[in-house]
Amino acid sequence: MLKISDVKTYYGNIQALKGINVEIAQGEIITLIGANGAGKTTTLMSVSGIVPPRSGDIFFEGNPITGLKPHEIVELGICQVPEGRHIFPYLTVLENLDMGAFLRKDADGVRQDRDYVFSLFPILANRRHQAGGTLSGGEQQMLAISRALMARPRLLLMDEPSLGLAPLIVRQIFGIIKKINEESRTTIFLVEQNANLALKIAHRGYVMENGRITQTDTAADLLNNEDVRKAYLGV
Amino acid sequence: MNYFLEIFLGGLTRGSIYALIALGYTMVYGIIELINFAHGEIYMIGAFTALIVASVLTLLGFNTLSVFILALVLAVIYSCCYAFTMEKIAYKPLRQAPRLSALISAIGMSLFLQNYVLLAQTSDFLPFPRLIPDFDFMEPYAHIITTQEAVILITTAIFMTILTIFIKFTRMGKAMRATSQDKVMAALTGIDVNRVISFTFIVGAAAAAVGGVLIASHIGMINFYIGFIAGIKAFVAAVLGGIGSIPGAVLGSFVLGWTESFCTGYVSSDYEDVFAFLFLVLILIFRPAGILGRSESNKV
């Protein structure tokens, strides 16, 4: 479904991605784990077109999307829940959700999806008229995921959904991510520092170090891999 | 009492014009955090366009009302084209550059447009025809408010109402609000950010052109430099109200208009700028973000 082929991305003169290859099949949850500054966020930003790669190619369902504008990439069905949630602080919860459905024309479908995300996260329904900036961190993360779902994405990119949240909320959110994948067959590309949790819900994983992919395997094997356990699982 | 009312309405009229120009400053700042110093020039170009159109149409024998409407519409269209082109040439290539670069580019654009109009037209003040006739039914109130002032107030009110509804309820309006709050996220929800930015410049230019035509017709003369003076005043109004905020810009404009007008009416017109800027300093001491401005604080 998504194929990242020898992608090199730079910030000015600093090379953040040194030729990475990732392949994701329809319906999978793939996780990309690695330390701070390894290039995980850059990978997602390259796919979304916010930081376009300088060389290499990205294919979505066989078609090249390198060089497309971010909004054109969203139109194809690739949505991102960015790191730090990026809630529109002065828009209400409902307006934030509407922004997620910005490109959709089917009002009925949008209403159904709104009910669906409210069923996933009932707390958001209670806060629907509250400004996004007044929500707690956990609620903002729920809203960020819901907003992305409002676009009916075929590929959902998620950047550190566990960042700064209480363990209980993290568990709830990861449960929902698994549920989204199972119920609507949405393909998920999950970037996480919390490798343990990410590998538990993912099918396959990639390990990233200093802008390169160093390992790739099924999630179960990565969980048992001696190097990965030492470096990222803290055992 | 009548004197007070006259001054009050005079300040309101001034404030309306400032508000029409301040909108462009505050909206553009809200979206790309740029003080568009060339915005005053757009207002000036609007006035010049109206002058040329009005002169030609009057020669061709059109009646006053159609001259006014056509001059206004063409001034708006022409100014919008200028603003659109200006953004593409002077600001878009600098989107990723440090903010100071775009600011310098804006100052350069301002000087360029002033001198371009200076060379293409003249440095002298040109008489501007009265595009708004005095209506007979306004005669009894003429000592309080003239037809010109009434038309300025009503036009501004209509423009503001349409703009408010537009920003609150339309798709483009929502896209503008989202873009002003978080540009990266706006792009990630599928908004074409460049289109929103172009559109913002166009709306700002339309408002400024309307202001330019109305005030030129009210005062009766223009030259290439009017944009600079009005631009600075409107910029002050936008800062006073809280730059980035649309209601703030409108409120700031009225506050500035009243300050100037009451100062002229009760003290001396020599001191109007002194009081206006004194007021600005005082407000910024107690509310650094402006009257309705919100201080940035991001939740992590």
Side-chain angles (χ1 to χ4, degrees):
Chain A
M1 180 173 221
L2 184 80
K3 186 170 182 232
I4 301 176
S5 156
D6 196 27
V7 159
K8 293 175 180 152
T9 303
Y10 292 73
Y11 290 105
N13 288 325
I14 300 157
Q15 188 171 13
L17 299 183
K18 298 168 181 166
I20 64 162
N21 294 285
V22 173
E23 250 180 275
I24 302 175
Q26 163 72 39
E28 275 188 309
I29 301 183
I30 296 298
T31 183
L32 179 63
I33 58 177
N36 257 341
K40 306 188 298 296
T41 296
T42 310
T43 306
L44 292 192
M45 287 302 181
S46 290
V47 174
S48 281
I50 302 282
V51 189
R54 193 172 289 181
S55 71
D57 276 302
I58 302 172
F59 299 91
F60 183 60
E61 299 182 323
N63 304 313
I65 59 166
T66 345
L68 291 187
K69 295 265 160 22
H71 68 269
E72 294 168 329
I73 291 173
V74 176
E75 229 171 320
L76 294 173
I78 304 181
C79 289
Q80 188 182 149
V81 182
E83 182 180 3
R85 308 181 279 267
H86 284 260
I87 296 302
F88 298 114
Y90 305 111
L91 298 187
T92 64
V93 168
L94 275 180
E95 286 172 325
N96 266 285
L97 291 176
D98 282 349
M99 291 320 298
F102 186 73
L103 293 172
R104 291 177 59 180
K105 305 269 188 285
D106 54 326
D108 289 340
V110 170
R111 219 166 299 130
Q112 275 171 26
D113 285 0
R114 195 184 295 153
D115 292 340
Y116 172 66
V117 299
F118 282 156
S119 75
L120 289 178
F121 303 109
I123 185 85
L124 293 181
N126 300 333
R127 304 214 185 284
R128 63 178 80 198
H129 296 299
Q130 224 169 295
T134 64
L135 301 186
S136 74
E139 289 160 359
Q140 287 194 357
Q141 188 62 58
M142 295 174 193
L143 180 55
I145 295 172
S146 302
R147 181 179 54 193
L149 288 178
M150 290 301 291
R152 283 210 184 153
R154 283 187 290 156
L155 171 63
L156 187 58
L157 312 173
M158 303 185 96
D159 198 350
E160 305 255 9
S162 75
L163 191 75
L165 300 183
L168 201 69
I169 310 270
V170 172
R171 224 167 301 143
Q172 187 195 349
I173 283 176
F174 273 67
I176 298 279
I177 295 174
K178 208 165 155 52
K179 194 172 160 194
I180 294 165
N181 171 257
E182 281 163 4
E183 280 180 2
S184 38
R185 303 290 298 147
T186 308
T187 313
I188 294 174
F189 188 15
L190 172 68
V191 158
E192 257 300 339
Q193 274 199 57
N194 191 334
N196 195 17
L197 260 174
L199 288 172
K200 273 183 187 144
I201 66 162
H203 301 113
R204 291 188 300 122
Y206 288 83
V207 180
M208 192 166 207
E209 270 169 52
N210 293 322
R212 288 197 176 82
I213 302 284
T214 51
Q215 294 199 52
T216 170
D217 211 332
T218 63
D221 284 348
L222 281 176
L223 268 174
N224 293 321
N225 182 308
E226 204 49 45
D227 296 342
V228 174
R229 284 168 69 91
K230 268 198 194 120
Y232 303 106
L233 302 177
V235 277
Chain B
M1 191 58 207
N2 270 351
Y3 184 61
F4 176 85
L5 202 62
E6 190 190 333
I7 290 175
F8 180 85
L9 289 171
L12 202 62
T13 312
R14 252 182 214 236
S16 301
I17 298 295
Y18 291 150
L20 284 172
I21 310 172
L23 274 180
Y25 280 108
T26 212
M27 286 169 69
V28 165
Y29 186 86
I31 299 246
I32 54 174
E33 295 186 355
L34 165 75
I35 310 287
N36 179 16
F37 274 114
H39 184 59
E41 270 52 66
I42 296 294
Y43 153 94
M44 179 265 295
I45 284 171
F48 266 95
T49 313
L51 174 62
I52 294 164
V53 172
S55 311
V56 172
L57 290 182
T58 312
L59 276 180
L60 292 175
F62 281 74
N63 69 29
T64 324
L65 188 67
S66 54
V67 169
F68 173 57
I69 291 173
L70 278 172
L72 189 64
V73 169
L74 285 172
V76 165
I77 293 172
Y78 202 64
S79 300
C80 289
C81 294
Y82 261 92
F84 177 82
T85 316
M86 181 169 79
E87 193 270 326
K88 289 279 177 267
I89 293 173
Y91 306 139
K92 188 161 177 262
L94 297 171
R95 201 65 54 71
Q96 310 301 332
R99 264 202 263 163
L100 199 56
S101 313
L103 194 69
I104 302 287
S105 183
I107 294 172
M109 208 62 210
S110 165
L111 291 173
F112 171 81
L113 288 175
Q114 272 179 37
N115 286 287
Y116 156 69
V117 173
L118 167 68
L119 291 172
Q121 301 293 328
T122 161
S123 64
D124 299 332
F125 271 97
L126 296 171
F128 195 96
R130 286 191 81 144
L131 294 177
I132 309 162
D134 280 325
F135 296 122
D136 291 337
F137 65 86
M138 288 295 293
E139 193 56 41
Y141 312 105
H143 59 290
I144 304 173
I145 183 165
T146 64
T147 311
Q148 303 263 337
E149 289 174 329
V151 169
I152 290 176
L153 287 181
I154 293 165
T155 315
T156 310
I158 293 171
F159 197 96
M160 296 293 172
T161 313
I162 293 174
L163 186 70
T164 309
I165 293 169
F166 178 84
I167 288 185
K168 189 90 187 129
F169 298 109
T170 64
R171 227 169 95 86
M172 190 49 146
K174 279 183 188 163
M176 284 169 78
R177 280 192 291 156
T179 307
S180 78
Q181 292 174 30
D182 193 328
K183 245 191 304 205
V184 169
M185 195 58 230
L188 287 176
T189 57
I191 294 169
D192 185 346
V193 173
N194 279 327
R195 245 186 78 205
V196 171
I197 293 172
S198 290
F199 192 82
T200 308
F201 271 85
I202 286 173
V203 173
V210 171
V213 177
L214 291 177
I215 197 68
S217 160
H218 185 46
I219 291 175
M221 54 184 186
I222 57 172
N223 79 344
F224 72 99
Y225 204 58
I226 57 166
F228 181 75
I229 310 280
I232 290 286
K233 286 285 177 62
F235 172 60
V236 166
V239 172
L240 197 64
I243 193 141
S245 151
I246 291 176
V250 176
L251 185 65
S253 301
F254 287 140
V255 168
L256 187 68
W258 280 321
T259 311
E260 288 183 358
S261 162
F262 278 107
C263 178
T264 308
Y266 288 105
V267 187
S268 154
S269 63
D270 294 341
Y271 287 95
E272 72 170 44
D273 287 351
V274 176
F275 274 83
F277 285 94
L278 191 68
F279 208 63
L280 173 75
V281 171
L282 280 180
I283 286 190
L284 291 186
I285 287 173
F286 294 106
R287 283 196 64 89
I291 305 173
L292 295 184
R294 40 197 176 203
S295 45
E296 287 299 315
S297 64
N298 289 325
K299 202 168 195 170
V300 184

